[in-house]
Amino acid sequence: MPAKGKLVLAIAPIWANLSGQRIGTQGVSSEFIVANVPWWVDPTKKLRLVPQNIAVAAQTGVISYGLTNDLSVIVTASIAEKRLEALTFRGQSGITPLGRSYPSTFGLSDFTTSAIYRIYQDPIHRIQVNLGFAYPFSFNTARFDLLQPDGSVANIRAFYGMQPGSGTFDIMPGIVYAGNLGQWSWGLSYRGRIPLANNPENWRFGDLHEFNGWTGYTLIPGITATFRVSGATQGQISGFDREILGRAVPTNPAFYGGQRVELFGGGVVSGKLINFDAASIAFEAGLPVYQNLNGPQIAKNWQAGFSFRLRI
């Protein structure tokens, strides 16, 4: 939280990768899916396309300003690029692969405003609450070219998870407890993201609830190692887009959401090492240790990112 009248600028790129399909906690093959999972629009037909890999890159810019020593406001804006490798199976049934597609989407993602208020602080402990809103400025009607079971290539609306943004107005509550003593620091947090209504295309992501616990140890002044455990649960998509109806796994709104636990390791390097205390760099990478997905659904492999902060 910036001090009163102070400004913090930050950039925070994140990269993630997803591959492999799961139903609940069980991994399943693409051949199993097309042979056994019905198309939700017409259950007499089976699915014909299964995602193999998704690479995600997102860039977020952050501006924080201290209205008082205990109240700060934050504005963020993001862009996202998502690259898909999809396997299409031949014909109306069977497990014979036809070929692969490599479409991608790119565009404006999240724009948010938040307020953070410190409700308690002593020399060791502090508690902060926050409330934010995400605005429907994001792009959720992206299109891409995809190989069809008959061998043609169609330009279709991208799947829900491939859209750069959701196009919904969301409320984002949260609370943080943090402490530090000597070389040690620690904390617990909760944050939610709850869409208030469907977007103009008649759908919204499920409510997201994320819990984090972390600890840090200062190795030398200016360098701190960190460890974080993150657990998240999210509901299925509500509603559906009438232009996202193909016989592919990600067209089913029920095949989104679930539970995930991830472990992250990282560090923070302060500019005080070079007598420039106003700047800092934080970095972190991790992977899931538990995934229970509403599926079949593509699973997460890893995530990495860093942030550069400058206090003015």
Side-chain angles (χ1 to χ4, degrees):
M1 295 182 64
K4 180 180 179 180
K6 298 297 183 179
L7 193 68
V8 174
L9 306 178
I11 56 171
I14 292 177
W15 301 269
N17 179 266
L18 301 90
S19 68
Q21 298 287 322
R22 291 196 181 200
I23 299 176
T25 60
Q26 183 67 42
V28 294
S29 68
S30 299
E31 289 76 13
F32 174 88
I33 292 171
V34 298
N36 294 280
V37 179
W39 184 31
W40 72 284
V41 177
D42 182 354
T44 64
K45 300 177 180 179
K46 298 296 191 293
L47 299 178
R48 306 309 297 149
L49 185 146
V50 182
Q52 302 298 294
N53 188 280
I54 298 177
V56 179
Q59 173 67 67
T60 301
V62 184
I63 300 175
S64 307
Y65 181 74
L67 294 175
T68 72
N69 286 332
D70 294 318
L71 177 64
S72 296
V73 293
I74 299 175
V75 177
T76 76
S78 303
I79 56 174
E81 181 179 19
K82 301 179 182 182
R83 296 183 177 273
L84 170 67
E85 176 189 347
L87 176 62
T88 301
F89 287 80
R90 186 184 304 276
Q92 298 301 305
S93 62
I95 59 171
T96 303
L98 174 64
R100 296 174 186 257
S101 304
Y102 300 90
S104 63
T105 57
F106 175 83
L108 180 66
S109 183
D110 303 328
F111 181 85
T112 74
T113 58
S114 302
I116 303 177
Y117 183 66
R118 181 162 40 213
I119 61 176
Y120 176 81
Q121 182 166 357
D122 63 32
I124 297 177
H125 311 283
R126 70 179 185 275
I127 300 174
Q128 300 165 184
V129 294
N130 57 276
L131 182 64
F133 297 93
Y135 301 91
F137 300 153
S138 55
F139 187 44
N140 68 313
T141 56
R143 304 180 70 86
F144 54 33
D145 294 332
L146 207 61
L147 178 65
Q148 302 300 300
D150 62 2
S152 64
V153 175
N155 182 262
I156 64 172
R157 181 165 292 177
F159 308 134
Y160 300 103
M162 287 294 295
Q163 294 293 339
S166 63
T168 55
F169 188 93
D170 307 343
I171 187 171
M172 303 185 302
I175 186 169
V176 174
Y177 158 75
N180 64 279
L181 183 63
Q183 293 173 282
W184 288 97
S185 56
W186 60 89
L188 297 168
S189 71
Y190 160 78
R191 68 172 182 170
R193 182 159 182 163
I194 303 168
L196 299 181
N198 287 3
N199 58 32
E201 285 64 49
N202 191 44
W203 62 274
R204 67 180 185 270
F205 283 116
D207 295 350
L208 172 67
H209 303 279
E210 181 181 299
F211 303 87
N212 288 277
W214 68 88
T215 184
Y217 183 78
T218 301
L219 303 172
I220 61 174
I223 299 181
T224 299
T226 62
F227 175 76
R228 178 168 67 96
V229 180
S230 176
T233 180
Q234 187 172 25
Q236 300 172 345
I237 288 177
S238 297
F240 68 93
D241 185 334
R242 293 184 179 274
E243 292 196 30
I244 306 178
L245 296 178
R247 293 168 64 181
V249 171
T251 66
N252 190 336
F255 294 164
Y256 288 81
Q259 296 82 44
R260 181 180 288 119
V261 177
E262 299 173 84
L263 303 181
F264 292 89
V268 181
V269 179
S270 171
K272 68 174 59 177
L273 292 173
I274 56 173
N275 296 318
F276 189 55
D277 196 27
S280 66
I281 296 176
F283 55 91
E284 187 180 59
L287 67 164
V289 294
Y290 173 81
Q291 296 184 81
N292 185 359
L293 306 179
N294 301 326
Q297 182 184 153
I298 195 166
K300 189 174 184 179
N301 284 335
W302 55 265
Q303 178 177 306
F306 75 89
S307 64
F308 172 76
R309 301 183 182 93
L310 178 65
R311 295 194 303 275
I312 299 175

